[in-house]
């Protein structure tokens, strides 16, 4: 099992795009795309919850190297709210109905594309989702994550520069 | 004479009440100041961390921020699915150790 990295993210984005999967990065992994400096162990994806998107998602996941049985694929298509995958190149959580976010369409409207390839839910949505989940690990990380959002706002940034050595547009 | 005594006693009571108020609010203010200082110190520390993160590229940040450690029970199945988030939370509550923070 490899750890999720930029290269893995790049590959995921490329394969998901090719299959036309509708998705957003969310959770702490999503916040890391904004530049949030904290550690996490898996990537969290918020896919649109439709049978058509689930079919594309299953195909894309197989191409990425995840072992999905026909039963697994049927479960995705039937419509699950949460799926954990530990059978591929990196740990992946599929959160089809994150706490605190009304719909995929609404989250997508507020999302941004980072580094021209990574669709990421808005920091406000990531925070709202963690606040609504209200698990111990969310409660512990929220004050720092909110401070990071305020840090970006006070500097009129949507995210930290992806490559600080290059001049930013 | 009696009226003078009553007036004097009332002034003393007022003064005592005023002093108690000063002590009460003084303690609260000091406590408040201590908390404000701690909070702003924490915020300054975080801002230094955010400044440091801003000096790294996304590629570097992702290289170091995703880690892999075995998580008891959570990593024991290749595929796990839940009909609802409530069902997932319930599974976490029943099956995961508290220290993982999923409750």
């Amino acid at each position: 099992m490899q750890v999720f990295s930029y290269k893995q993210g790049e590959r995921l984005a490329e394969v998901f795009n090719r299959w036309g999967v509708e998705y957003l990065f969310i959770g702490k992994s999503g916040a890391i795309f904004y530049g949030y400096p904290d550690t996490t162990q898996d990537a969290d994806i918020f896919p649109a919850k439709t049978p058509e998107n689930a079919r594309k998602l299953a195909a894309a996941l197989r191409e990425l190297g995840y072992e999905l049985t026909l039963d697994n694929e049927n479960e995705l298509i039937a419509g699950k709210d949460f799926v954990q995958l530990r059978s591929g190149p990196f740990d992946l959580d599929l959160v089809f109905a994150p706490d605190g976010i009304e719909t995929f369409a609404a989250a997508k409207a507020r999302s941004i594309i980072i580094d021209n390839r990574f669709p990421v839910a808005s920091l406000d949505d990531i925070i709202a989702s963690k606040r609504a989940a209200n698990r111990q690990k969310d409660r512990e990380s929220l004050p720092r994550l909110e401070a990071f959002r305020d840090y970006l706002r006070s500097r009129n940034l949507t995210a930290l520069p992806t490559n600080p050595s290059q001049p930013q547009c | 004479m009696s009226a003078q005594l009553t007036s004097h006693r009332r002034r003393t009571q007022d003064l005592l009440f005023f002093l108690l108020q000063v002590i009460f609010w003084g303690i609260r203010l000091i406590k408040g100041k201590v908390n404000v200082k701690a909070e702003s110190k924490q915020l300054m520390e975080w801002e230094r961390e955010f400044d440091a993160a801003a000096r790294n590229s996304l590629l570097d940040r992702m290289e170091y921020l995703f880690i892999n450690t075995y998580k008891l029970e959570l990593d024991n199945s290749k595929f796990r699915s839940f009909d609802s988030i409530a069902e997932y939370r319930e599974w976490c509550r029943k099956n995961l150790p508290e220290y993982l923070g999923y409750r």
Side-chain angles (χ1 to χ4, degrees):
Chain A
M1 170 73 61
Q2 292 175 24
V3 181
F4 189 65
S5 65
Y6 186 91
K7 285 273 173 214
Q8 304 268 22
E10 214 173 21
R11 170 104 176 107
L12 181 146
E14 187 260 314
V15 173
F16 274 28
N17 270 350
R18 194 150 30 77
W19 284 98
V21 178
E22 280 209 273
Y23 74 103
L24 299 170
F25 283 96
I26 197 170
K28 206 188 271 181
S29 57
I32 288 172
F33 280 102
Y34 282 88
Y36 181 58
D38 203 351
T39 55
T40 189
Q41 306 198 53
D42 46 35
D44 300 320
I45 298 286
F46 174 15
K49 192 179 173 180
T50 64
E52 182 57 21
N53 199 46
R55 276 189 198 94
K56 293 173 183 171
L57 180 62
L61 288 170
R62 282 203 183 97
E63 187 176 333
L64 284 169
Y66 288 90
E67 293 171 30
L68 282 184
T69 65
L70 210 57
D71 283 347
N72 296 159
E73 182 175 349
N74 287 335
E75 284 187 48
L76 285 178
I77 294 166
K80 296 286 179 177
D81 272 3
F82 190 89
V83 174
Q84 266 178 356
L85 296 172
R86 299 290 183 264
S87 64
F90 49 86
D91 292 349
L92 193 61
D93 287 349
L94 306 173
V95 195
F96 288 90
D99 290 305
I101 299 178
E102 60 279 45
T103 60
F104 177 82
K108 191 177 180 184
R110 294 186 289 263
S111 69
I112 66 166
I113 305 283
I114 291 182
D115 211 18
N116 297 318
R117 71 195 80 201
F118 303 116
V120 190
S122 73
L123 255 187
D124 281 335
D125 277 343
I126 291 172
I127 288 169
S129 151
K130 286 198 166 289
R131 189 177 294 127
N134 196 31
R135 298 169 299 183
Q136 186 194 333
K137 66 193 197 108
D138 300 317
R139 289 191 296 272
E140 285 170 5
S141 65
L142 263 175
R144 189 164 176 267
L145 189 53
E146 286 170 334
F148 178 68
R149 177 187 56 188
D150 297 343
Y151 173 91
L152 292 179
R153 277 189 186 154
S154 67
R155 284 155 181 80
N156 289 320
L157 295 169
T158 36
L160 292 186
T162 53
N163 198 345
S165 59
Q166 288 179 356
Q168 299 298 306
C169 300
Chain B
M1 187 69 181
S2 164
Q4 266 185 333
L5 267 174
T6 309
S7 166
H8 180 71
R9 195 176 293 152
R10 189 166 292 160
R11 275 205 303 273
T12 309
Q13 278 175 350
D14 285 350
L15 185 65
L16 269 173
F17 182 72
F18 173 73
L19 284 173
L20 281 173
Q21 289 267 330
V22 168
I23 291 165
F24 175 75
W25 287 107
I27 289 169
R28 292 194 69 170
L29 187 66
I30 289 164
K31 279 188 174 172
K33 269 188 178 174
V34 169
N35 288 339
V36 167
K37 270 187 184 170
E39 274 177 29
S40 85
K41 193 179 167 192
Q42 178 68 84
L43 275 176
M44 281 167 63
E45 195 178 307
W46 286 343
E47 288 208 352
R48 277 197 296 272
E49 290 166 8
F50 302 154
D51 286 340
R55 289 191 287 274
N56 294 319
S57 66
L58 177 61
L59 192 146
D60 286 338
R61 292 196 295 261
M62 288 181 68
E63 211 62 40
Y64 297 109
L65 296 177
F66 287 93
I67 54 170
N68 198 6
T69 55
Y70 169 74
K71 295 181 290 304
L72 195 68
E73 187 60 40
L74 205 61
D75 291 341
N76 290 353
S77 176
K78 286 182 173 180
F79 183 96
R80 201 176 269 128
S81 70
F82 300 90
D83 286 330
S84 68
I85 294 290
E87 188 189 305
Y88 165 62
R89 298 268 181 261
E90 182 62 12
W91 180 86
C92 291
R93 200 183 61 74
K94 282 185 180 164
N95 295 281
L96 300 183
E98 198 172 345
Y99 69 81
L100 284 179
Y102 280 77
R103 298 181 185 181

